[in-house]
Amino acid sequence: MTKVLIIGEHRQGELKANAGELVAAARVLGDTIRAAVLGPGASQAAAAFGAYGVDTVRVLDTDVAYSSDGFAAALAPVIAECEVNYIVLMQSFFGRDLGARLAARLGTPFINDVTALAVEDGQVVATKPLYAGKVIGKLAFTGKGPKVITLRPKNFTPAAADQAATVETKPLELPAELKCQVTHVEPKATGMIDVKEADIIVSGGRGVGGPDGFEPLRDFAQAIGAALGASRAAVDAGWIAHSHQVGQTGKVVNPQLYIACGISGAIQHLAGMQTSKVIVAINNNPDAPIFKLADYGIVDDLFQVVPELKKLMVEALAG
Ligand SMILES: Cc1cc2nc3c(=O)[nH]c(=O)nc-3n(C[C@H](O)[C@H](O)[C@H](O)COP(=O)(O)OP(=O)(O)OC[C@H]3O[C@@H](n4cnc5c(N)ncnc54)[C@H](O)[C@@H]3O)c2cc1C
């Protein structure tokens, strides 16, 4: 029997929708799925796992904010006690940090940024992009002990949250002494959806010309329920915060629709968005490399196109 532990993410007790992706991946790997949720508000988030048919959830409900050594130490006993074969997290800041810490602590292998999982000849094979997406690698685990996997968001069709299982929660404990402790967290209220969670992204590059050039894009994004993305050139110029950056040194996204405005299409930008389902590029240079990848290209001034596109999309979404 293969046992899988998924580690859910939540925001102040609200389980994130990517829980469905964790469950879907866990079902490929094994037959017994347990979950864990940690941090302030975790008990409330744990209950939501019932809808995915997960019956046992380990909970660390603590006022102590996230620290990788603390949370890994809290999880270690349950991983040993349940003889877990796989531990699955999302490829988020939280998942990457905690996943790496768990693998190091357990001395077991870690495959990050996984886009597909399969069992071939009885062996789990993980697919992941390498060299900024130029190569697709297929990796298999060797060795004993629980293997750690992080999933690239929006690559697994989420399991349906349609079951009525009652969740049995069991507490986890933090070690008495932590090597480091976060004493204060101040969330930045942007009022916008995170690019990693968005189905639609409106993204701006150097072509927007300055911080004010992002305003029509922000307005467009808000009108259609999209997130606001950016190229590194715009971020490095200080026009927009790094949390919006898409690409090799920013966030890797996989939305249904990516609208690139005034972005040339450098390889490092493409590494973060080339798997988007539909790509629309707006650029006044017909030779911009982004047009080679785009499904739809508009050669024009973005400041003329964006308001028109907004009007059309708002009408289409309303109808
Ligand atoms: C190690 C490394 C990591 C990197 N990581 C990233 C990363 O994570 N993300 C990232 O984005 N980049 C990254 N870069 C930088 C990358 O190489 C490019 O420099 C960057 O993506 C360019 O951003 P841009 O397309 O906005 O700017 P540009 O290349 O300057 O393109 C601007 C585009 O806007 C168009 N334009 C101008 N005015 C208008 C207008 N009015 N209407 C319509 N179009 C207009 C122009 O024709 C041009 O195509 C990285 C580079 C390195 C070396």
PDB file of all heavy atoms in Angstrom, residues 106-144:
ATOM      1  N   LEU A 106      15.044  14.535   6.068  1.00  0.00           N
ATOM      2  CA  LEU A 106      14.818  13.086   5.985  1.00  0.00           C
ATOM      3  C   LEU A 106      15.948  12.377   5.228  1.00  0.00           C
ATOM      4  O   LEU A 106      16.037  11.150   5.248  1.00  0.00           O
ATOM      5  CB  LEU A 106      13.485  12.809   5.264  1.00  0.00           C
ATOM      6  CG  LEU A 106      12.218  13.343   5.950  1.00  0.00           C
ATOM      7  CD1 LEU A 106      11.061  13.403   4.968  1.00  0.00           C
ATOM      8  CD2 LEU A 106      11.855  12.480   7.139  1.00  0.00           C
ATOM      9  N   GLY A 107      16.765  13.158   4.521  1.00  0.00           N
ATOM     10  CA  GLY A 107      17.832  12.572   3.704  1.00  0.00           C
ATOM     11  C   GLY A 107      17.272  11.788   2.530  1.00  0.00           C
ATOM     12  O   GLY A 107      17.794  10.742   2.142  1.00  0.00           O
ATOM     13  N   THR A 108      16.184  12.316   1.946  1.00  0.00           N
ATOM     14  CA  THR A 108      15.507  11.604   0.850  1.00  0.00           C
ATOM     15  C   THR A 108      15.441  12.481  -0.397  1.00  0.00           C
ATOM     16  O   THR A 108      15.653  13.684  -0.328  1.00  0.00           O
ATOM     17  CB  THR A 108      14.076  11.186   1.268  1.00  0.00           C
ATOM     18  OG1 THR A 108      13.366  12.351   1.665  1.00  0.00           O
ATOM     19  CG2 THR A 108      14.103  10.184   2.400  1.00  0.00           C
ATOM     20  N   PRO A 109      15.143  11.877  -1.578  1.00  0.00           N
ATOM     21  CA  PRO A 109      15.153  12.668  -2.820  1.00  0.00           C
ATOM     22  C   PRO A 109      13.995  13.655  -2.928  1.00  0.00           C
ATOM     23  O   PRO A 109      12.935  13.441  -2.341  1.00  0.00           O
ATOM     24  CB  PRO A 109      15.025  11.605  -3.918  1.00  0.00           C
ATOM     25  CG  PRO A 109      15.082  10.295  -3.266  1.00  0.00           C
ATOM     26  CD  PRO A 109      14.863  10.464  -1.811  1.00  0.00           C
ATOM     27  N   PHE A 110      14.232  14.682  -3.721  1.00  0.00           N
ATOM     28  CA  PHE A 110      13.257  15.769  -3.897  1.00  0.00           C
ATOM     29  C   PHE A 110      13.201  16.102  -5.387  1.00  0.00           C
ATOM     30  O   PHE A 110      14.225  16.423  -5.995  1.00  0.00           O
ATOM     31  CB  PHE A 110      13.745  16.969  -3.074  1.00  0.00           C
ATOM     32  CG  PHE A 110      12.915  18.230  -3.202  1.00  0.00           C
ATOM     33  CD1 PHE A 110      11.564  18.195  -3.499  1.00  0.00           C
ATOM     34  CD2 PHE A 110      13.498  19.474  -2.980  1.00  0.00           C
ATOM     35  CE1 PHE A 110      10.817  19.354  -3.581  1.00  0.00           C
ATOM     36  CE2 PHE A 110      12.763  20.642  -3.061  1.00  0.00           C
ATOM     37  CZ  PHE A 110      11.421  20.583  -3.365  1.00  0.00           C
ATOM     38  N   ILE A 111      12.034  15.989  -6.010  1.00  0.00           N
ATOM     39  CA  ILE A 111      11.869  16.451  -7.393  1.00  0.00           C
ATOM     40  C   ILE A 111      10.901  17.628  -7.355  1.00  0.00           C
ATOM     41  O   ILE A 111       9.756  17.479  -6.912  1.00  0.00           O
ATOM     42  CB  ILE A 111      11.342  15.348  -8.338  1.00  0.00           C
ATOM     43  CG1 ILE A 111      12.269  14.116  -8.315  1.00  0.00           C
ATOM     44  CG2 ILE A 111      11.238  15.895  -9.761  1.00  0.00           C
ATOM     45  CD1 ILE A 111      11.873  12.994  -9.263  1.00  0.00           C
ATOM     46  N   ASN A 112      11.380  18.779  -7.800  1.00  0.00           N
ATOM     47  CA  ASN A 112      10.530  19.972  -7.731  1.00  0.00           C
ATOM     48  C   ASN A 112       9.943  20.310  -9.104  1.00  0.00           C
ATOM     49  O   ASN A 112      10.329  19.724 -10.118  1.00  0.00           O
ATOM     50  CB  ASN A 112      11.321  21.155  -7.168  1.00  0.00           C
ATOM     51  CG  ASN A 112      12.345  21.663  -8.156  1.00  0.00           C
ATOM     52  OD1 ASN A 112      12.697  20.995  -9.104  1.00  0.00           O
ATOM     53  ND2 ASN A 112      12.821  22.861  -7.937  1.00  0.00           N
ATOM     54  N   ASP A 113       8.954  21.206  -9.096  1.00  0.00           N
ATOM     55  CA  ASP A 113       8.396  21.782 -10.323  1.00  0.00           C
ATOM     56  C   ASP A 113       7.849  20.711 -11.281  1.00  0.00           C
ATOM     57  O   ASP A 113       8.010  20.813 -12.497  1.00  0.00           O
ATOM     58  CB  ASP A 113       9.490  22.617 -11.013  1.00  0.00           C
ATOM     59  CG  ASP A 113       8.900  23.704 -11.902  1.00  0.00           C
ATOM     60  OD1 ASP A 113       7.712  24.020 -11.758  1.00  0.00           O
ATOM     61  OD2 ASP A 113       9.636  24.216 -12.761  1.00  0.00           O
ATOM     62  N   VAL A 114       7.190  19.721 -10.726  1.00  0.00           N
ATOM     63  CA  VAL A 114       6.697  18.588 -11.521  1.00  0.00           C
ATOM     64  C   VAL A 114       5.415  18.990 -12.266  1.00  0.00           C
ATOM     65  O   VAL A 114       4.502  19.579 -11.686  1.00  0.00           O
ATOM     66  CB  VAL A 114       6.449  17.375 -10.587  1.00  0.00           C
ATOM     67  CG1 VAL A 114       5.683  16.276 -11.294  1.00  0.00           C
ATOM     68  CG2 VAL A 114       7.782  16.860 -10.055  1.00  0.00           C
ATOM     69  N   THR A 115       5.363  18.661 -13.565  1.00  0.00           N
ATOM     70  CA  THR A 115       4.184  19.016 -14.364  1.00  0.00           C
ATOM     71  C   THR A 115       3.299  17.807 -14.679  1.00  0.00           C
ATOM     72  O   THR A 115       2.165  17.967 -15.122  1.00  0.00           O
ATOM     73  CB  THR A 115       4.603  19.678 -15.689  1.00  0.00           C
ATOM     74  OG1 THR A 115       5.523  18.801 -16.350  1.00  0.00           O
ATOM     75  CG2 THR A 115       5.268  21.008 -15.455  1.00  0.00           C
ATOM     76  N   ALA A 116       3.834  16.589 -14.489  1.00  0.00           N
ATOM     77  CA  ALA A 116       3.015  15.378 -14.702  1.00  0.00           C
ATOM     78  C   ALA A 116       3.627  14.225 -13.918  1.00  0.00           C
ATOM     79  O   ALA A 116       4.849  14.202 -13.690  1.00  0.00           O
ATOM     80  CB  ALA A 116       2.967  15.029 -16.189  1.00  0.00           C
ATOM     81  N   LEU A 117       2.763  13.308 -13.520  1.00  0.00           N
ATOM     82  CA  LEU A 117       3.219  12.110 -12.807  1.00  0.00           C
ATOM     83  C   LEU A 117       2.577  10.897 -13.461  1.00  0.00           C
ATOM     84  O   LEU A 117       1.417  10.947 -13.869  1.00  0.00           O
ATOM     85  CB  LEU A 117       2.781  12.160 -11.336  1.00  0.00           C
ATOM     86  CG  LEU A 117       3.527  13.130 -10.412  1.00  0.00           C
ATOM     87  CD1 LEU A 117       2.756  13.313  -9.117  1.00  0.00           C
ATOM     88  CD2 LEU A 117       4.935  12.615 -10.113  1.00  0.00           C
ATOM     89  N   ALA A 118       3.345   9.814 -13.558  1.00  0.00           N
ATOM     90  CA  ALA A 118       2.785   8.577 -14.103  1.00  0.00           C
ATOM     91  C   ALA A 118       3.472   7.407 -13.426  1.00  0.00           C
ATOM     92  O   ALA A 118       4.560   7.559 -12.862  1.00  0.00           O
ATOM     93  CB  ALA A 118       3.030   8.522 -15.605  1.00  0.00           C
ATOM     94  N   VAL A 119       2.821   6.263 -13.481  1.00  0.00           N
ATOM     95  CA  VAL A 119       3.475   5.052 -12.987  1.00  0.00           C
ATOM     96  C   VAL A 119       3.766   4.191 -14.210  1.00  0.00           C
ATOM     97  O   VAL A 119       2.855   3.807 -14.947  1.00  0.00           O
ATOM     98  CB  VAL A 119       2.572   4.304 -11.976  1.00  0.00           C
ATOM     99  CG1 VAL A 119       3.276   3.051 -11.477  1.00  0.00           C
ATOM    100  CG2 VAL A 119       2.227   5.209 -10.795  1.00  0.00           C
ATOM    101  N   GLU A 120       5.061   3.977 -14.470  1.00  0.00           N
ATOM    102  CA  GLU A 120       5.471   3.192 -15.644  1.00  0.00           C
ATOM    103  C   GLU A 120       6.255   1.983 -15.170  1.00  0.00           C
ATOM    104  O   GLU A 120       7.252   2.137 -14.447  1.00  0.00           O
ATOM    105  CB  GLU A 120       6.342   4.054 -16.584  1.00  0.00           C
ATOM    106  CG  GLU A 120       5.546   5.197 -17.211  1.00  0.00           C
ATOM    107  CD  GLU A 120       6.405   6.172 -18.010  1.00  0.00           C
ATOM    108  OE1 GLU A 120       7.584   5.862 -18.284  1.00  0.00           O
ATOM    109  OE2 GLU A 120       5.896   7.256 -18.331  1.00  0.00           O
ATOM    110  N   ASP A 121       5.800   0.789 -15.527  1.00  0.00           N
ATOM    111  CA  ASP A 121       6.414  -0.470 -15.070  1.00  0.00           C
ATOM    112  C   ASP A 121       6.599  -0.482 -13.548  1.00  0.00           C
ATOM    113  O   ASP A 121       7.664  -0.846 -13.028  1.00  0.00           O
ATOM    114  CB  ASP A 121       7.774  -0.700 -15.745  1.00  0.00           C
ATOM    115  CG  ASP A 121       7.635  -0.778 -17.257  1.00  0.00           C
ATOM    116  OD1 ASP A 121       6.606  -1.311 -17.720  1.00  0.00           O
ATOM    117  OD2 ASP A 121       8.534  -0.290 -17.951  1.00  0.00           O
ATOM    118  N   GLY A 122       5.591  -0.017 -12.856  1.00  0.00           N
ATOM    119  CA  GLY A 122       5.615  -0.043 -11.390  1.00  0.00           C
ATOM    120  C   GLY A 122       6.464   1.047 -10.755  1.00  0.00           C
ATOM    121  O   GLY A 122       6.588   1.122  -9.536  1.00  0.00           O
ATOM    122  N   GLN A 123       7.027   1.931 -11.594  1.00  0.00           N
ATOM    123  CA  GLN A 123       7.890   2.982 -11.055  1.00  0.00           C
ATOM    124  C   GLN A 123       7.285   4.363 -11.326  1.00  0.00           C
ATOM    125  O   GLN A 123       6.784   4.615 -12.430  1.00  0.00           O
ATOM    126  CB  GLN A 123       9.261   2.894 -11.735  1.00  0.00           C
ATOM    127  CG  GLN A 123      10.293   3.781 -11.093  1.00  0.00           C
ATOM    128  CD  GLN A 123      11.670   3.548 -11.676  1.00  0.00           C
ATOM    129  OE1 GLN A 123      11.810   3.323 -12.880  1.00  0.00           O
ATOM    130  NE2 GLN A 123      12.685   3.606 -10.850  1.00  0.00           N
ATOM    131  N   VAL A 124       7.346   5.231 -10.308  1.00  0.00           N
ATOM    132  CA  VAL A 124       6.810   6.579 -10.487  1.00  0.00           C
ATOM    133  C   VAL A 124       7.771   7.392 -11.357  1.00  0.00           C
ATOM    134  O   VAL A 124       8.971   7.435 -11.102  1.00  0.00           O
ATOM    135  CB  VAL A 124       6.608   7.276  -9.122  1.00  0.00           C
ATOM    136  CG1 VAL A 124       6.338   8.770  -9.297  1.00  0.00           C
ATOM    137  CG2 VAL A 124       5.461   6.618  -8.361  1.00  0.00           C
ATOM    138  N   VAL A 125       7.210   8.015 -12.403  1.00  0.00           N
ATOM    139  CA  VAL A 125       8.020   8.856 -13.291  1.00  0.00           C
ATOM    140  C   VAL A 125       7.452  10.284 -13.225  1.00  0.00           C
ATOM    141  O   VAL A 125       6.260  10.497 -13.455  1.00  0.00           O
ATOM    142  CB  VAL A 125       7.992   8.322 -14.743  1.00  0.00           C
ATOM    143  CG1 VAL A 125       8.761   9.252 -15.677  1.00  0.00           C
ATOM    144  CG2 VAL A 125       8.565   6.919 -14.805  1.00  0.00           C
ATOM    145  N   ALA A 126       8.318  11.220 -12.894  1.00  0.00           N
ATOM    146  CA  ALA A 126       7.904  12.621 -12.786  1.00  0.00           C
ATOM    147  C   ALA A 126       8.434  13.396 -13.988  1.00  0.00           C
ATOM    148  O   ALA A 126       9.596  13.261 -14.363  1.00  0.00           O
ATOM    149  CB  ALA A 126       8.461  13.224 -11.497  1.00  0.00           C
ATOM    150  N   THR A 127       7.562  14.204 -14.585  1.00  0.00           N
ATOM    151  CA  THR A 127       7.964  15.037 -15.720  1.00  0.00           C
ATOM    152  C   THR A 127       8.176  16.457 -15.225  1.00  0.00           C
ATOM    153  O   THR A 127       7.371  16.958 -14.431  1.00  0.00           O
ATOM    154  CB  THR A 127       6.856  15.032 -16.795  1.00  0.00           C
ATOM    155  OG1 THR A 127       6.621  13.688 -17.180  1.00  0.00           O
ATOM    156  CG2 THR A 127       7.242  15.843 -18.022  1.00  0.00           C
ATOM    157  N   LYS A 128       9.259  17.088 -15.666  1.00  0.00           N
ATOM    158  CA  LYS A 128       9.486  18.485 -15.281  1.00  0.00           C
ATOM    159  C   LYS A 128      10.300  19.220 -16.352  1.00  0.00           C
ATOM    160  O   LYS A 128      11.154  18.624 -17.011  1.00  0.00           O
ATOM    161  CB  LYS A 128      10.173  18.582 -13.919  1.00  0.00           C
ATOM    162  CG  LYS A 128      11.560  17.988 -13.839  1.00  0.00           C
ATOM    163  CD  LYS A 128      12.264  18.421 -12.562  1.00  0.00           C
ATOM    164  CE  LYS A 128      12.697  19.863 -12.643  1.00  0.00           C
ATOM    165  NZ  LYS A 128      13.398  20.330 -11.457  1.00  0.00           N
ATOM    166  N   PRO A 129      10.030  20.524 -16.538  1.00  0.00           N
ATOM    167  CA  PRO A 129      10.815  21.296 -17.502  1.00  0.00           C
ATOM    168  C   PRO A 129      12.213  21.570 -16.937  1.00  0.00           C
ATOM    169  O   PRO A 129      12.368  21.805 -15.745  1.00  0.00           O
ATOM    170  CB  PRO A 129      10.039  22.607 -17.644  1.00  0.00           C
ATOM    171  CG  PRO A 129       8.814  22.455 -16.816  1.00  0.00           C
ATOM    172  CD  PRO A 129       8.997  21.330 -15.883  1.00  0.00           C
ATOM    173  N   LEU A 130      13.221  21.543 -17.820  1.00  0.00           N
ATOM    174  CA  LEU A 130      14.594  21.826 -17.414  1.00  0.00           C
ATOM    175  C   LEU A 130      15.156  22.925 -18.308  1.00  0.00           C
ATOM    176  O   LEU A 130      14.635  23.149 -19.406  1.00  0.00           O
ATOM    177  CB  LEU A 130      15.457  20.567 -17.548  1.00  0.00           C
ATOM    178  CG  LEU A 130      15.033  19.373 -16.688  1.00  0.00           C
ATOM    179  CD1 LEU A 130      15.661  18.083 -17.207  1.00  0.00           C
ATOM    180  CD2 LEU A 130      15.413  19.584 -15.233  1.00  0.00           C
ATOM    181  N   TYR A 131      16.225  23.570 -17.883  1.00  0.00           N
ATOM    182  CA  TYR A 131      16.869  24.645 -18.656  1.00  0.00           C
ATOM    183  C   TYR A 131      15.830  25.649 -19.161  1.00  0.00           C
ATOM    184  O   TYR A 131      15.688  25.870 -20.370  1.00  0.00           O
ATOM    185  CB  TYR A 131      17.699  24.071 -19.806  1.00  0.00           C
ATOM    186  CG  TYR A 131      18.706  23.049 -19.352  1.00  0.00           C
ATOM    187  CD1 TYR A 131      18.587  21.712 -19.709  1.00  0.00           C
ATOM    188  CD2 TYR A 131      19.762  23.420 -18.525  1.00  0.00           C
ATOM    189  CE1 TYR A 131      19.487  20.763 -19.255  1.00  0.00           C
ATOM    190  CE2 TYR A 131      20.659  22.474 -18.059  1.00  0.00           C
ATOM    191  CZ  TYR A 131      20.526  21.159 -18.433  1.00  0.00           C
ATOM    192  OH  TYR A 131      21.403  20.224 -17.980  1.00  0.00           O
ATOM    193  N   ALA A 132      15.104  26.226 -18.210  1.00  0.00           N
ATOM    194  CA  ALA A 132      14.086  27.253 -18.507  1.00  0.00           C
ATOM    195  C   ALA A 132      13.075  26.787 -19.555  1.00  0.00           C
ATOM    196  O   ALA A 132      12.631  27.560 -20.399  1.00  0.00           O
ATOM    197  CB  ALA A 132      14.755  28.554 -18.935  1.00  0.00           C
ATOM    198  N   GLY A 133      12.743  25.495 -19.506  1.00  0.00           N
ATOM    199  CA  GLY A 133      11.697  24.970 -20.375  1.00  0.00           C
ATOM    200  C   GLY A 133      12.174  24.525 -21.741  1.00  0.00           C
ATOM    201  O   GLY A 133      11.370  24.105 -22.572  1.00  0.00           O
ATOM    202  N   LYS A 134      13.507  24.593 -22.009  1.00  0.00           N
ATOM    203  CA  LYS A 134      14.004  24.186 -23.335  1.00  0.00           C
ATOM    204  C   LYS A 134      13.946  22.668 -23.483  1.00  0.00           C
ATOM    205  O   LYS A 134      13.889  22.143 -24.594  1.00  0.00           O
ATOM    206  CB  LYS A 134      15.449  24.653 -23.510  1.00  0.00           C
ATOM    207  CG  LYS A 134      15.575  26.131 -23.743  1.00  0.00           C
ATOM    208  CD  LYS A 134      16.946  26.451 -24.323  1.00  0.00           C
ATOM    209  CE  LYS A 134      17.322  27.875 -24.040  1.00  0.00           C
ATOM    210  NZ  LYS A 134      17.797  28.119 -22.685  1.00  0.00           N
ATOM    211  N   VAL A 135      14.017  21.962 -22.364  1.00  0.00           N
ATOM    212  CA  VAL A 135      14.046  20.495 -22.372  1.00  0.00           C
ATOM    213  C   VAL A 135      13.015  19.997 -21.365  1.00  0.00           C
ATOM    214  O   VAL A 135      12.820  20.611 -20.321  1.00  0.00           O
ATOM    215  CB  VAL A 135      15.446  19.993 -21.927  1.00  0.00           C
ATOM    216  CG1 VAL A 135      15.515  18.485 -21.903  1.00  0.00           C
ATOM    217  CG2 VAL A 135      16.536  20.572 -22.799  1.00  0.00           C
ATOM    218  N   ILE A 136      12.353  18.903 -21.710  1.00  0.00           N
ATOM    219  CA  ILE A 136      11.437  18.284 -20.755  1.00  0.00           C
ATOM    220  C   ILE A 136      12.107  17.020 -20.227  1.00  0.00           C
ATOM    221  O   ILE A 136      12.490  16.138 -21.011  1.00  0.00           O
ATOM    222  CB  ILE A 136      10.082  17.941 -21.422  1.00  0.00           C
ATOM    223  CG1 ILE A 136       9.414  19.207 -21.983  1.00  0.00           C
ATOM    224  CG2 ILE A 136       9.148  17.232 -20.444  1.00  0.00           C
ATOM    225  CD1 ILE A 136       9.037  20.261 -20.961  1.00  0.00           C
ATOM    226  N   GLY A 137      12.269  16.927 -18.927  1.00  0.00           N
ATOM    227  CA  GLY A 137      12.945  15.774 -18.326  1.00  0.00           C
ATOM    228  C   GLY A 137      11.950  14.802 -17.714  1.00  0.00           C
ATOM    229  O   GLY A 137      10.888  15.204 -17.233  1.00  0.00           O
ATOM    230  N   LYS A 138      12.296  13.507 -17.776  1.00  0.00           N
ATOM    231  CA  LYS A 138      11.494  12.495 -17.078  1.00  0.00           C
ATOM    232  C   LYS A 138      12.401  11.890 -16.019  1.00  0.00           C
ATOM    233  O   LYS A 138      13.460  11.352 -16.352  1.00  0.00           O
ATOM    234  CB  LYS A 138      11.007  11.441 -18.054  1.00  0.00           C
ATOM    235  CG  LYS A 138       9.904  11.972 -18.948  1.00  0.00           C
ATOM    236  CD  LYS A 138       9.132  10.842 -19.586  1.00  0.00           C
ATOM    237  CE  LYS A 138       7.817  11.349 -20.138  1.00  0.00           C
ATOM    238  NZ  LYS A 138       6.900  10.292 -20.454  1.00  0.00           N
ATOM    239  N   LEU A 139      12.003  11.982 -14.778  1.00  0.00           N
ATOM    240  CA  LEU A 139      12.869  11.570 -13.678  1.00  0.00           C
ATOM    241  C   LEU A 139      12.195  10.478 -12.850  1.00  0.00           C
ATOM    242  O   LEU A 139      10.980  10.524 -12.628  1.00  0.00           O
ATOM    243  CB  LEU A 139      13.175  12.759 -12.760  1.00  0.00           C
ATOM    244  CG  LEU A 139      14.161  13.815 -13.272  1.00  0.00           C
ATOM    245  CD1 LEU A 139      13.510  14.738 -14.279  1.00  0.00           C
ATOM    246  CD2 LEU A 139      14.680  14.646 -12.112  1.00  0.00           C
ATOM    247  N   ALA A 140      13.005   9.527 -12.403  1.00  0.00           N
ATOM    248  CA  ALA A 140      12.498   8.484 -11.505  1.00  0.00           C
ATOM    249  C   ALA A 140      13.294   8.550 -10.205  1.00  0.00           C
ATOM    250  O   ALA A 140      14.454   8.976 -10.196  1.00  0.00           O
ATOM    251  CB  ALA A 140      12.648   7.116 -12.156  1.00  0.00           C
ATOM    252  N   PHE A 141      12.664   8.148  -9.130  1.00  0.00           N
ATOM    253  CA  PHE A 141      13.330   8.167  -7.824  1.00  0.00           C
ATOM    254  C   PHE A 141      14.169   6.914  -7.626  1.00  0.00           C
ATOM    255  O   PHE A 141      13.828   5.841  -8.122  1.00  0.00           O
ATOM    256  CB  PHE A 141      12.288   8.210  -6.702  1.00  0.00           C
ATOM    257  CG  PHE A 141      11.573   9.522  -6.579  1.00  0.00           C
ATOM    258  CD1 PHE A 141      10.255   9.650  -6.995  1.00  0.00           C
ATOM    259  CD2 PHE A 141      12.201  10.617  -6.015  1.00  0.00           C
ATOM    260  CE1 PHE A 141       9.586  10.852  -6.844  1.00  0.00           C
ATOM    261  CE2 PHE A 141      11.536  11.818  -5.859  1.00  0.00           C
ATOM    262  CZ  PHE A 141      10.231  11.939  -6.279  1.00  0.00           C
ATOM    263  N   THR A 142      15.236   7.061  -6.864  1.00  0.00           N
ATOM    264  CA  THR A 142      15.960   5.887  -6.386  1.00  0.00           C
ATOM    265  C   THR A 142      16.064   6.021  -4.857  1.00  0.00           C
ATOM    266  O   THR A 142      15.771   7.075  -4.303  1.00  0.00           O
ATOM    267  CB  THR A 142      17.387   5.808  -6.963  1.00  0.00           C
ATOM    268  OG1 THR A 142      18.051   7.031  -6.646  1.00  0.00           O
ATOM    269  CG2 THR A 142      17.389   5.584  -8.462  1.00  0.00           C
ATOM    270  N   GLY A 143      16.469   4.976  -4.213  1.00  0.00           N
ATOM    271  CA  GLY A 143      16.689   5.037  -2.765  1.00  0.00           C
ATOM    272  C   GLY A 143      15.432   4.798  -1.959  1.00  0.00           C
ATOM    273  O   GLY A 143      14.330   4.679  -2.503  1.00  0.00           O
ATOM    274  N   LYS A 144      15.656   4.740  -0.655  1.00  0.00           N
ATOM    275  CA  LYS A 144      14.540   4.452   0.263  1.00  0.00           C
ATOM    276  C   LYS A 144      14.055   5.730   0.932  1.00  0.00           C
ATOM    277  O   LYS A 144      14.672   6.764   0.813  1.00  0.00           O
ATOM    278  CB  LYS A 144      15.039   3.479   1.331  1.00  0.00           C
ATOM    279  CG  LYS A 144      15.404   2.104   0.777  1.00  0.00           C
ATOM    280  CD  LYS A 144      15.365   1.072   1.915  1.00  0.00           C
ATOM    281  CE  LYS A 144      15.524  -0.325   1.379  1.00  0.00           C
ATOM    282  NZ  LYS A 144      16.887  -0.766   1.246  1.00  0.00           N
TER     283      LYS A 144
END
